[in-house]
Amino acid sequence: MNTLHSSPVPTSRYTDEHRVHMMHPVVCEEAPKLAQARCSSCSLRKVCLPADLSSDELERIDALVCATRPVRRGETLFRAHDAFHSLYAVRTGSFKTSVMHRDGCEQVTGFHIPGDPLGLDGISSGSQSCEAVALEDSTVCVIPFSQLEAICGESRRMQRHLYHLMSAEIVRESGLMMLLGKMTAEQRLASFLLDLAARFRLRGYSGASFNLKMSRDEIGGFLGIKLETVSRMFSRFQREGFVQTQGRQIQILDAERLAQV
């Protein structure tokens, strides 16, 4: 971190550039660190890896995923057009992915929680097609793709798992298209909350009570509805007894009725 000298800066040299640099310091990305835990003993293993891996295959995966990278809230893991070298798995925290339209408007394309992969879109073209930003202080496991390919060439289980991840991404994007094209605003928000709850349950967390790390504006950007509409729908769901909200804390009170919206 840069520090200011104790002696004052002469007025003649105290330009707007100095002011901007002091108000907006450059944030350096932290380098990957040696992983503290092995994939074979990670609590997210059942989400990230096939269940039937042999001990030899697990050893190879442990050697492959040998680094984690911290990403602070608001920092970028990768940007659109960055060269593709690695896949990432969210270890702690959460991320949003987004693309920028020609008019400068952001379209949120997904929210990613522990166990989710990041960077799959880079496989086809060799460069990332979206931006991934941390919604809170987070860490990711770094998975060098060239080494993963080598393992998949020798392990049919890992090969099938990689195909499964890519297929799931296609299904997710198809679901998003249906969400944006066919559902009402109420149905979009209800589906979003129920999907998030199901993903938390799969990871061993509560699916009935959880914190939304994304803002309501970001939820609207994902669902294709305005911030005011998101707030109005939350108020309606609470009024009708579907959910209880307190800030970003969400408690689903009646999942069946929420699914019938």
Side-chain angles (χ1 to χ4, degrees), residues 8 22 52 77 79-80 83 85 87 90 106 118 125 128 139 153 156 158 169 190 195 200 210 215-216 239 253:
M22 290 165 61
D52 57 349
L77 175 62
R79 294 179 173 83
H85 299 293
L87 294 176
V90 182
E106 180 189 52
L118 286 168
S125 64
Q128 302 294 348
T139 57
R156 298 207 43 172
M158 283 301 301
E169 186 70 7
D195 175 71
F200 278 130
F210 47 86
S215 68
R216 293 189 177 187
R239 188 170 59 251
L253 302 176

PDB file of all heavy atoms in Angstrom, residues 8 22 52 77 79-80 83 85 87 90 106 118 125 128 139 153 156 158 169 190 195 200 210 215-216 239 253:
ATOM      1  N   PRO A   8       4.522  18.241   3.157  1.00  0.00           N
ATOM      2  CA  PRO A   8       3.422  18.575   2.266  1.00  0.00           C
ATOM      3  C   PRO A   8       3.871  18.613   0.819  1.00  0.00           C
ATOM      4  O   PRO A   8       5.030  18.868   0.515  1.00  0.00           O
ATOM      5  CB  PRO A   8       2.988  19.961   2.752  1.00  0.00           C
ATOM      6  CG  PRO A   8       4.217  20.541   3.397  1.00  0.00           C
ATOM      7  CD  PRO A   8       4.918  19.375   4.016  1.00  0.00           C
ATOM      8  N   MET A  22      -4.840   9.636  -5.020  1.00  0.00           N
ATOM      9  CA  MET A  22      -4.993   9.476  -3.571  1.00  0.00           C
ATOM     10  C   MET A  22      -6.389   8.985  -3.214  1.00  0.00           C
ATOM     11  O   MET A  22      -6.563   8.193  -2.294  1.00  0.00           O
ATOM     12  CB  MET A  22      -4.722  10.818  -2.885  1.00  0.00           C
ATOM     13  CG  MET A  22      -3.258  11.235  -2.932  1.00  0.00           C
ATOM     14  SD  MET A  22      -3.042  12.974  -2.524  1.00  0.00           S
ATOM     15  CE  MET A  22      -3.697  13.015  -0.875  1.00  0.00           C
ATOM     16  N   ASP A  52     -17.435 -41.256  -7.222  1.00  0.00           N
ATOM     17  CA  ASP A  52     -16.831 -42.580  -7.333  1.00  0.00           C
ATOM     18  C   ASP A  52     -15.363 -42.549  -7.751  1.00  0.00           C
ATOM     19  O   ASP A  52     -14.859 -43.497  -8.349  1.00  0.00           O
ATOM     20  CB  ASP A  52     -17.629 -43.437  -8.322  1.00  0.00           C
ATOM     21  CG  ASP A  52     -17.739 -42.789  -9.699  1.00  0.00           C
ATOM     22  OD1 ASP A  52     -17.378 -41.598  -9.821  1.00  0.00           O
ATOM     23  OD2 ASP A  52     -18.190 -43.468 -10.638  1.00  0.00           O
ATOM     24  N   LEU A  77     -12.201 -11.331 -10.323  1.00  0.00           N
ATOM     25  CA  LEU A  77     -11.419 -12.561 -10.508  1.00  0.00           C
ATOM     26  C   LEU A  77     -10.888 -12.628 -11.935  1.00  0.00           C
ATOM     27  O   LEU A  77      -9.720 -12.932 -12.161  1.00  0.00           O
ATOM     28  CB  LEU A  77     -12.290 -13.778 -10.195  1.00  0.00           C
ATOM     29  CG  LEU A  77     -11.664 -15.149 -10.445  1.00  0.00           C
ATOM     30  CD1 LEU A  77     -10.437 -15.350  -9.553  1.00  0.00           C
ATOM     31  CD2 LEU A  77     -12.690 -16.262 -10.214  1.00  0.00           C
ATOM     32  N   ARG A  79     -11.835 -10.767 -16.138  1.00  0.00           N
ATOM     33  CA  ARG A  79     -12.646  -9.856 -16.944  1.00  0.00           C
ATOM     34  C   ARG A  79     -12.897 -10.451 -18.325  1.00  0.00           C
ATOM     35  O   ARG A  79     -12.197 -11.361 -18.755  1.00  0.00           O
ATOM     36  CB  ARG A  79     -11.949  -8.499 -17.091  1.00  0.00           C
ATOM     37  CG  ARG A  79     -11.811  -7.733 -15.788  1.00  0.00           C
ATOM     38  CD  ARG A  79     -11.081  -6.412 -15.996  1.00  0.00           C
ATOM     39  NE  ARG A  79     -11.091  -5.588 -14.791  1.00  0.00           N
ATOM     40  CZ  ARG A  79     -10.237  -5.715 -13.789  1.00  0.00           C
ATOM     41  NH1 ARG A  79      -9.273  -6.641 -13.859  1.00  0.00           N
ATOM     42  NH2 ARG A  79     -10.313  -4.938 -12.734  1.00  0.00           N
ATOM     43  N   ALA A  80     -13.896  -9.911 -19.006  1.00  0.00           N
ATOM     44  CA  ALA A  80     -14.165 -10.336 -20.382  1.00  0.00           C
ATOM     45  C   ALA A  80     -12.933 -10.086 -21.238  1.00  0.00           C
ATOM     46  O   ALA A  80     -12.259  -9.067 -21.099  1.00  0.00           O
ATOM     47  CB  ALA A  80     -15.363  -9.560 -20.929  1.00  0.00           C
ATOM     48  N   ALA A  83      -7.312 -13.815 -21.226  1.00  0.00           N
ATOM     49  CA  ALA A  83      -6.910 -15.126 -21.736  1.00  0.00           C
ATOM     50  C   ALA A  83      -7.334 -16.221 -20.756  1.00  0.00           C
ATOM     51  O   ALA A  83      -7.242 -16.052 -19.540  1.00  0.00           O
ATOM     52  CB  ALA A  83      -5.404 -15.156 -21.957  1.00  0.00           C
ATOM     53  N   HIS A  85      -6.838 -19.655 -18.959  1.00  0.00           N
ATOM     54  CA  HIS A  85      -5.812 -20.628 -18.581  1.00  0.00           C
ATOM     55  C   HIS A  85      -6.322 -21.620 -17.535  1.00  0.00           C
ATOM     56  O   HIS A  85      -5.886 -22.766 -17.505  1.00  0.00           O
ATOM     57  CB  HIS A  85      -4.568 -19.930 -18.028  1.00  0.00           C
ATOM     58  CG  HIS A  85      -3.903 -19.011 -19.001  1.00  0.00           C
ATOM     59  ND1 HIS A  85      -3.281 -19.468 -20.143  1.00  0.00           N
ATOM     60  CD2 HIS A  85      -3.773 -17.662 -19.007  1.00  0.00           C
ATOM     61  CE1 HIS A  85      -2.781 -18.445 -20.812  1.00  0.00           C
ATOM     62  NE2 HIS A  85      -3.073 -17.337 -20.157  1.00  0.00           N
ATOM     63  N   LEU A  87      -9.691 -22.969 -14.775  1.00  0.00           N
ATOM     64  CA  LEU A  87     -11.030 -22.949 -14.200  1.00  0.00           C
ATOM     65  C   LEU A  87     -10.887 -22.618 -12.718  1.00  0.00           C
ATOM     66  O   LEU A  87      -9.813 -22.766 -12.132  1.00  0.00           O
ATOM     67  CB  LEU A  87     -11.708 -24.302 -14.364  1.00  0.00           C
ATOM     68  CG  LEU A  87     -12.041 -24.760 -15.786  1.00  0.00           C
ATOM     69  CD1 LEU A  87     -12.627 -26.162 -15.751  1.00  0.00           C
ATOM     70  CD2 LEU A  87     -12.982 -23.793 -16.463  1.00  0.00           C
ATOM     71  N   VAL A  90     -15.480 -21.970  -6.530  1.00  0.00           N
ATOM     72  CA  VAL A  90     -15.691 -21.098  -5.375  1.00  0.00           C
ATOM     73  C   VAL A  90     -15.527 -21.929  -4.104  1.00  0.00           C
ATOM     74  O   VAL A  90     -16.227 -22.922  -3.909  1.00  0.00           O
ATOM     75  CB  VAL A  90     -17.088 -20.448  -5.406  1.00  0.00           C
ATOM     76  CG1 VAL A  90     -17.261 -19.510  -4.209  1.00  0.00           C
ATOM     77  CG2 VAL A  90     -17.315 -19.697  -6.713  1.00  0.00           C
ATOM     78  N   GLU A 106     -25.015  -3.082 -17.655  1.00  0.00           N
ATOM     79  CA  GLU A 106     -24.550  -4.389 -17.197  1.00  0.00           C
ATOM     80  C   GLU A 106     -25.701  -5.381 -17.166  1.00  0.00           C
ATOM     81  O   GLU A 106     -26.786  -5.066 -16.681  1.00  0.00           O
ATOM     82  CB  GLU A 106     -23.938  -4.271 -15.800  1.00  0.00           C
ATOM     83  CG  GLU A 106     -23.437  -5.593 -15.237  1.00  0.00           C
ATOM     84  CD  GLU A 106     -23.042  -5.492 -13.769  1.00  0.00           C
ATOM     85  OE1 GLU A 106     -23.863  -5.003 -12.956  1.00  0.00           O
ATOM     86  OE2 GLU A 106     -21.922  -5.910 -13.429  1.00  0.00           O
ATOM     87  N   LEU A 118     -16.312 -21.561 -12.011  1.00  0.00           N
ATOM     88  CA  LEU A 118     -16.234 -20.274 -12.704  1.00  0.00           C
ATOM     89  C   LEU A 118     -15.241 -20.401 -13.855  1.00  0.00           C
ATOM     90  O   LEU A 118     -14.218 -21.063 -13.707  1.00  0.00           O
ATOM     91  CB  LEU A 118     -15.770 -19.164 -11.757  1.00  0.00           C
ATOM     92  CG  LEU A 118     -16.769 -18.653 -10.720  1.00  0.00           C
ATOM     93  CD1 LEU A 118     -16.048 -17.789  -9.689  1.00  0.00           C
ATOM     94  CD2 LEU A 118     -17.883 -17.858 -11.390  1.00  0.00           C
ATOM     95  N   SER A 125     -13.449 -20.432 -26.646  1.00  0.00           N
ATOM     96  CA  SER A 125     -12.739 -19.424 -27.442  1.00  0.00           C
ATOM     97  C   SER A 125     -11.322 -19.140 -26.965  1.00  0.00           C
ATOM     98  O   SER A 125     -10.562 -18.458 -27.649  1.00  0.00           O
ATOM     99  CB  SER A 125     -13.536 -18.118 -27.433  1.00  0.00           C
ATOM    100  OG  SER A 125     -13.615 -17.588 -26.115  1.00  0.00           O
ATOM    101  N   GLN A 128     -12.116 -15.311 -21.765  1.00  0.00           N
ATOM    102  CA  GLN A 128     -13.333 -15.205 -20.966  1.00  0.00           C
ATOM    103  C   GLN A 128     -14.350 -14.323 -21.680  1.00  0.00           C
ATOM    104  O   GLN A 128     -13.992 -13.344 -22.326  1.00  0.00           O
ATOM    105  CB  GLN A 128     -13.021 -14.619 -19.584  1.00  0.00           C
ATOM    106  CG  GLN A 128     -12.009 -15.418 -18.785  1.00  0.00           C
ATOM    107  CD  GLN A 128     -12.519 -16.790 -18.389  1.00  0.00           C
ATOM    108  OE1 GLN A 128     -13.707 -17.094 -18.502  1.00  0.00           O
ATOM    109  NE2 GLN A 128     -11.626 -17.640 -17.920  1.00  0.00           N
ATOM    110  N   THR A 139     -12.716 -16.863  -1.575  1.00  0.00           N
ATOM    111  CA  THR A 139     -11.538 -17.577  -2.066  1.00  0.00           C
ATOM    112  C   THR A 139     -11.982 -18.548  -3.144  1.00  0.00           C
ATOM    113  O   THR A 139     -13.109 -19.065  -3.120  1.00  0.00           O
ATOM    114  CB  THR A 139     -10.804 -18.364  -0.956  1.00  0.00           C
ATOM    115  OG1 THR A 139     -11.725 -19.286  -0.348  1.00  0.00           O
ATOM    116  CG2 THR A 139     -10.235 -17.438   0.095  1.00  0.00           C
ATOM    117  N   GLY A 153      -8.118 -37.112 -19.785  1.00  0.00           N
ATOM    118  CA  GLY A 153      -7.731 -38.056 -20.820  1.00  0.00           C
ATOM    119  C   GLY A 153      -7.448 -39.435 -20.279  1.00  0.00           C
ATOM    120  O   GLY A 153      -7.492 -40.426 -21.021  1.00  0.00           O
ATOM    121  N   ARG A 156     -12.011 -41.609 -17.043  1.00  0.00           N
ATOM    122  CA  ARG A 156     -13.335 -41.428 -17.635  1.00  0.00           C
ATOM    123  C   ARG A 156     -14.287 -40.779 -16.651  1.00  0.00           C
ATOM    124  O   ARG A 156     -15.206 -40.066 -17.054  1.00  0.00           O
ATOM    125  CB  ARG A 156     -13.875 -42.783 -18.095  1.00  0.00           C
ATOM    126  CG  ARG A 156     -13.005 -43.420 -19.160  1.00  0.00           C
ATOM    127  CD  ARG A 156     -13.751 -44.333 -20.063  1.00  0.00           C
ATOM    128  NE  ARG A 156     -15.028 -43.836 -20.500  1.00  0.00           N
ATOM    129  CZ  ARG A 156     -15.756 -44.456 -21.436  1.00  0.00           C
ATOM    130  NH1 ARG A 156     -15.302 -45.548 -21.997  1.00  0.00           N
ATOM    131  NH2 ARG A 156     -16.928 -43.989 -21.802  1.00  0.00           N
ATOM    132  N   MET A 158     -13.534 -38.394 -14.452  1.00  0.00           N
ATOM    133  CA  MET A 158     -13.288 -36.964 -14.510  1.00  0.00           C
ATOM    134  C   MET A 158     -13.736 -36.379 -15.847  1.00  0.00           C
ATOM    135  O   MET A 158     -14.236 -35.252 -15.907  1.00  0.00           O
ATOM    136  CB  MET A 158     -11.815 -36.656 -14.272  1.00  0.00           C
ATOM    137  CG  MET A 158     -11.394 -36.753 -12.822  1.00  0.00           C
ATOM    138  SD  MET A 158     -12.343 -35.625 -11.736  1.00  0.00           S
ATOM    139  CE  MET A 158     -11.974 -34.025 -12.464  1.00  0.00           C
ATOM    140  N   GLU A 169     -23.995 -25.940 -17.406  1.00  0.00           N
ATOM    141  CA  GLU A 169     -23.919 -24.530 -17.786  1.00  0.00           C
ATOM    142  C   GLU A 169     -24.886 -24.230 -18.924  1.00  0.00           C
ATOM    143  O   GLU A 169     -25.544 -23.188 -18.936  1.00  0.00           O
ATOM    144  CB  GLU A 169     -22.483 -24.181 -18.193  1.00  0.00           C
ATOM    145  CG  GLU A 169     -22.240 -22.714 -18.463  1.00  0.00           C
ATOM    146  CD  GLU A 169     -22.291 -21.845 -17.223  1.00  0.00           C
ATOM    147  OE1 GLU A 169     -22.388 -22.389 -16.104  1.00  0.00           O
ATOM    148  OE2 GLU A 169     -22.241 -20.602 -17.385  1.00  0.00           O
ATOM    149  N   ALA A 190     -39.697 -15.488  -7.489  1.00  0.00           N
ATOM    150  CA  ALA A 190     -39.988 -16.719  -6.741  1.00  0.00           C
ATOM    151  C   ALA A 190     -39.058 -17.844  -7.175  1.00  0.00           C
ATOM    152  O   ALA A 190     -38.502 -18.574  -6.341  1.00  0.00           O
ATOM    153  CB  ALA A 190     -41.448 -17.120  -6.943  1.00  0.00           C
ATOM    154  N   ASP A 195     -34.569 -21.520  -6.290  1.00  0.00           N
ATOM    155  CA  ASP A 195     -33.350 -22.117  -6.849  1.00  0.00           C
ATOM    156  C   ASP A 195     -32.176 -21.899  -5.906  1.00  0.00           C
ATOM    157  O   ASP A 195     -31.377 -22.825  -5.668  1.00  0.00           O
ATOM    158  CB  ASP A 195     -33.062 -21.497  -8.218  1.00  0.00           C
ATOM    159  CG  ASP A 195     -31.742 -21.980  -8.801  1.00  0.00           C
ATOM    160  OD1 ASP A 195     -31.665 -23.163  -9.191  1.00  0.00           O
ATOM    161  OD2 ASP A 195     -30.781 -21.186  -8.853  1.00  0.00           O
ATOM    162  N   PHE A 200     -28.307 -24.020  -1.772  1.00  0.00           N
ATOM    163  CA  PHE A 200     -27.753 -23.992  -0.418  1.00  0.00           C
ATOM    164  C   PHE A 200     -27.955 -25.335   0.278  1.00  0.00           C
ATOM    165  O   PHE A 200     -27.051 -25.839   0.958  1.00  0.00           O
ATOM    166  CB  PHE A 200     -28.414 -22.875   0.406  1.00  0.00           C
ATOM    167  CG  PHE A 200     -27.834 -21.514   0.167  1.00  0.00           C
ATOM    168  CD1 PHE A 200     -28.653 -20.430  -0.105  1.00  0.00           C
ATOM    169  CD2 PHE A 200     -26.463 -21.295   0.216  1.00  0.00           C
ATOM    170  CE1 PHE A 200     -28.125 -19.161  -0.320  1.00  0.00           C
ATOM    171  CE2 PHE A 200     -25.924 -20.041  -0.006  1.00  0.00           C
ATOM    172  CZ  PHE A 200     -26.763 -18.970  -0.271  1.00  0.00           C
ATOM    173  N   PHE A 210     -31.343 -17.755   4.801  1.00  0.00           N
ATOM    174  CA  PHE A 210     -30.007 -17.444   4.276  1.00  0.00           C
ATOM    175  C   PHE A 210     -29.887 -15.957   3.989  1.00  0.00           C
ATOM    176  O   PHE A 210     -30.889 -15.234   3.914  1.00  0.00           O
ATOM    177  CB  PHE A 210     -29.714 -18.248   3.007  1.00  0.00           C
ATOM    178  CG  PHE A 210     -30.825 -18.231   1.985  1.00  0.00           C
ATOM    179  CD1 PHE A 210     -30.916 -17.216   1.043  1.00  0.00           C
ATOM    180  CD2 PHE A 210     -31.781 -19.240   1.963  1.00  0.00           C
ATOM    181  CE1 PHE A 210     -31.935 -17.190   0.112  1.00  0.00           C
ATOM    182  CE2 PHE A 210     -32.810 -19.229   1.024  1.00  0.00           C
ATOM    183  CZ  PHE A 210     -32.883 -18.205   0.096  1.00  0.00           C
ATOM    184  N   SER A 215     -27.125  -7.368  -4.026  1.00  0.00           N
ATOM    185  CA  SER A 215     -28.089  -6.311  -3.749  1.00  0.00           C
ATOM    186  C   SER A 215     -29.373  -6.565  -4.538  1.00  0.00           C
ATOM    187  O   SER A 215     -29.401  -7.364  -5.483  1.00  0.00           O
ATOM    188  CB  SER A 215     -27.509  -4.950  -4.141  1.00  0.00           C
ATOM    189  OG  SER A 215     -27.357  -4.858  -5.551  1.00  0.00           O
ATOM    190  N   ARG A 216     -30.434  -5.866  -4.172  1.00  0.00           N
ATOM    191  CA  ARG A 216     -31.684  -6.012  -4.911  1.00  0.00           C
ATOM    192  C   ARG A 216     -31.543  -5.464  -6.329  1.00  0.00           C
ATOM    193  O   ARG A 216     -32.209  -5.936  -7.248  1.00  0.00           O
ATOM    194  CB  ARG A 216     -32.822  -5.324  -4.152  1.00  0.00           C
ATOM    195  CG  ARG A 216     -33.135  -6.023  -2.832  1.00  0.00           C
ATOM    196  CD  ARG A 216     -34.387  -5.506  -2.173  1.00  0.00           C
ATOM    197  NE  ARG A 216     -34.672  -6.264  -0.949  1.00  0.00           N
ATOM    198  CZ  ARG A 216     -35.765  -6.138  -0.212  1.00  0.00           C
ATOM    199  NH1 ARG A 216     -36.681  -5.249  -0.568  1.00  0.00           N
ATOM    200  NH2 ARG A 216     -35.938  -6.858   0.869  1.00  0.00           N
ATOM    201  N   ARG A 239     -45.914  -9.821   2.669  1.00  0.00           N
ATOM    202  CA  ARG A 239     -47.297  -9.535   3.070  1.00  0.00           C
ATOM    203  C   ARG A 239     -48.171 -10.781   2.979  1.00  0.00           C
ATOM    204  O   ARG A 239     -49.064 -10.994   3.809  1.00  0.00           O
ATOM    205  CB  ARG A 239     -47.836  -8.411   2.183  1.00  0.00           C
ATOM    206  CG  ARG A 239     -49.191  -7.881   2.600  1.00  0.00           C
ATOM    207  CD  ARG A 239     -49.550  -6.618   1.840  1.00  0.00           C
ATOM    208  NE  ARG A 239     -49.591  -6.830   0.393  1.00  0.00           N
ATOM    209  CZ  ARG A 239     -48.690  -6.341  -0.462  1.00  0.00           C
ATOM    210  NH1 ARG A 239     -47.679  -5.609  -0.021  1.00  0.00           N
ATOM    211  NH2 ARG A 239     -48.799  -6.580  -1.765  1.00  0.00           N
ATOM    212  N   LEU A 253     -40.925 -18.991   4.345  1.00  0.00           N
ATOM    213  CA  LEU A 253     -41.928 -19.505   5.277  1.00  0.00           C
ATOM    214  C   LEU A 253     -42.837 -20.538   4.629  1.00  0.00           C
ATOM    215  O   LEU A 253     -43.312 -21.455   5.297  1.00  0.00           O
ATOM    216  CB  LEU A 253     -42.776 -18.337   5.818  1.00  0.00           C
ATOM    217  CG  LEU A 253     -42.012 -17.204   6.532  1.00  0.00           C
ATOM    218  CD1 LEU A 253     -42.987 -16.083   6.903  1.00  0.00           C
ATOM    219  CD2 LEU A 253     -41.308 -17.739   7.760  1.00  0.00           C
TER     220      LEU A 253
END
